[in-house]
Amino acid sequence: MLVGAAPAWAGSPSASVDTRIGTDEGAADFGTGGGAGATYPGAVAPFGMVQLSPDTAPGIVNPAGGYSYRDDEIKGFSLTHLSGAGCAALSDVPLLPTTHAVDAAPSVKGSYDVNPRYVAAFTHRGEVARPGDYRVRLNPGRRAIEAELTATQRAGALRVTFPRGPHGSILVNAGGSAMGNTVANLRVDPARREISGTVGSGGFCYAADRYTLHFVIRFDRPFATSGTWRRTTLRPGGRSTSDEVADRTGPLLLQYKRLGGGPKAVPGNPTKGAQAGAYATFDTAGDAQRAVVARVAISTVSVAGARHNLAADALARRSFGAARAAARRAWARQLGAIQVDGGAARDREIFSTSLYHAQVMPNVVSDADGRYLGQDGRVHRAAGFDKYSNISGWDTYRSQMPLMALVAPRAASDLVRSMVADQHDGGSLPKWPVLSGQTNVMVGDPADLLIAGAYAFGARDFDAKAAVRAMVAGATQPKVIANGGYVERAGLDDYQRLGYVGFEQNTDSPGQTVAPAKVWGTASTTLEYALADFGIARVAAGAGDAATCGAFAARAGNWRNVFDPATGLMQPRAAATGAFVAQPGAGGAGFVEGTAAQYTWFVPQDVAGLVAALGGRDAARARLDTFFTTLNSGAESDKAFLGNEPTLLTPALYNWLGRPAAGAGIVRKAMLSLYRATPGGFPGNDDGGQMSAWWVFGALGLSPSVPGTGVLTLGSPLFPKVTLKLAGGRTVEIRAPRAAPSRPYVHAVRLNGKPLTRTWLAYGALRRGRTRIDVDLSASAAQTWGTAETAAPPSFGGAAACGR
């Protein structure tokens, strides 16, 4: 357990969670977003709309999460955050308690930061970081301020206990968003004990996305005094203030490209943006008057919408303590969907925290009345579902979506309905949306695989035929939409005409950010499109659309068009001549956060076809053995990079190659060596919960290894007993009485009492009321279980994509 953590909540599934895990740099920076998990420690409900969390200074180690564990100052508790992202974003409307007299504007000229006189020191002594419950002491010592945070689905609360004295104030820095602000408007209403307003920001990974966010902060006590500021001018008693600046997206993009991209490409303040704020000061002279509660809510629609969200949420009618207890219960229910027994305390802590991080994003963005700002800039209403955004699609289709479908099927279904709504509202399925802004961050067409993954794992409360129509539109109709200049499938003309994206369109990450119609990594993108087409085929088959399934099953074979038999590698290919543009196994252009050697294994939809292309099982197995001689060698290596997404599914290939012991051993070694129960405990960014979900599945001894299907390859459970509580009262019990960190090798499996000789299960096998999986584990890698060709999981090349 981390130093300073509070005692565990006895009997709660949240007892082992420490939300600070991932907030420090614990791995090498391989240029894919830094070496921190990029998580944040503050309070959020499962998939909640408000993410109330501290932002620290200088915040260099973990700019994306806002909180760097090694920092010793807090500059505010802001209302919105992304978890695990590789770039800074959100951190809107920081609230900062202070005992300093507010006699000068808290702004710093030309900066979104706060005047150092108001920034608060802190330590980790006594800090609490639990699901829905964050507490910290500011300015430790005789004049300490106690700050506590909690959150429900559409609201949050900050309770501040000031030391006795005349100056207990809370600053509202509307110009403090992580990427600066184009708009910062506020209104102070002492009669309502309320500060409200609107901010505008954007620029996620320096993309052209913009968003507008409205907020309401209501205090439980009258103001002694209040006021506003604009830039460096303070107005005591001011009732409103506003500042706006020109959108600096263009200059930001050019600077981003010039400095080579990445989360730290623009050091210091990304914009000299709008600067405005407000403050409320309270009479804290007596012991009975020292506590102040600020209840907060947000909306993408209007201030009235935020006010309605606050009024509609039970938080507004509860004491702070009751709201925190409700947040704990909500997380206990959610985390209780998977219960583990036995094993080491360190492993239980990583498991519980990973299960938590896998359910922090995506986030609800619709108001309590269903209204939300659509991708077309207009207000729409989500009828019968919650609208979601903040979707790290390229990352999360691999593991996080299958896990979400298993443990939160309603949320997973609503996420699919949200993406289909985005296509209806704005013309395209999203790739990496942030609030109401579309971004071109990352590659492929991941929405297709998110939809297919939800469908495959039983989250089907959506119109599958409408989803297929939206998927097909994005896969066949080249389009640039106004929102962020977003392109769902860059290079689509080439892909449809040639079956691959020509290398002539290739660019790097900064180049794609500046010119979204260009293609970051044409070979990787071709492989991603082929897999996305497979996802379309699978949902079409489930919807009874045989013609669409057949057409896209054929397109799923386009991986062959970038496989170069001469080198035995995936390679970019010229459109003009059809010639392969040979790149070395390590380094080279044409690939996204990876290399030719790493992406050569990326054909999960047709492993049998890939193995044949590589020369058969023996040749593929020998090559895979060499590939895994290192586990986390970075994005420019010819070896594995298990700290990032492109090779996460690769260990499971051993199940197709008759060596499931090798794959299980690699996963176990990666879990135990690359992850730790410390702030620096991630091998890289958590990427919206994807890496956490991968760890959870690894601990279960299951892996969703073929995106878009319900295929679960079998590995080795880490705990002696695991119980999954699925929708409809179904339970899955996994028993491995000999489970231990040193025993990763499976020697026998029984399914509901009967021997299981194959190395995989279908999700359908878990649909009965009660399923039991018994696994016999050993420390010896010598095994006969699962080595026969008939034990291999299915491959879905050609027409097989349209089968069950």
Side-chain angles (χ1 to χ4, degrees), residues 328-343:
R328 288 179 178 178
R329 289 193 298 271
W331 274 113
R333 287 192 299 271
Q334 201 63 42
L335 298 176
I338 306 180
Q339 297 178 352
V340 298
D341 293 310

Side-chain angles (χ1 to χ4, degrees), residues 182-198:
T182 54
V183 174
N185 298 333
L186 300 98
R187 180 173 294 275
V188 180
D189 188 340
R192 278 184 164 176
R193 306 193 303 273
E194 182 182 278
I195 297 174
S196 60
T198 299

Side-chain angles (χ1 to χ4, degrees), residues 701-773:
L702 302 171
S703 175
S705 299
V706 185
T709 76
V711 171
L712 291 162
T713 52
L714 293 172
S716 53
L718 182 59
F719 300 101
K721 181 182 177 183
V722 178
T723 304
L724 285 76
K725 299 178 181 179
L726 305 180
R730 296 171 296 146
T731 61
V732 178
E733 192 173 286
I734 303 170
R735 287 186 175 264
R738 287 163 49 82
S742 61
R743 295 194 189 104
Y745 305 115
V746 179
H747 277 240
V749 180
R750 298 178 72 87
L751 177 63
N752 296 320
K754 298 180 180 179
L756 183 69
T757 57
R758 68 178 186 267
T759 63
W760 63 284
L761 288 174
Y763 167 74
L766 310 181
R767 289 179 180 170
R768 65 187 71 221
R770 186 177 183 85
T771 302
R772 177 163 168 169
I773 305 168

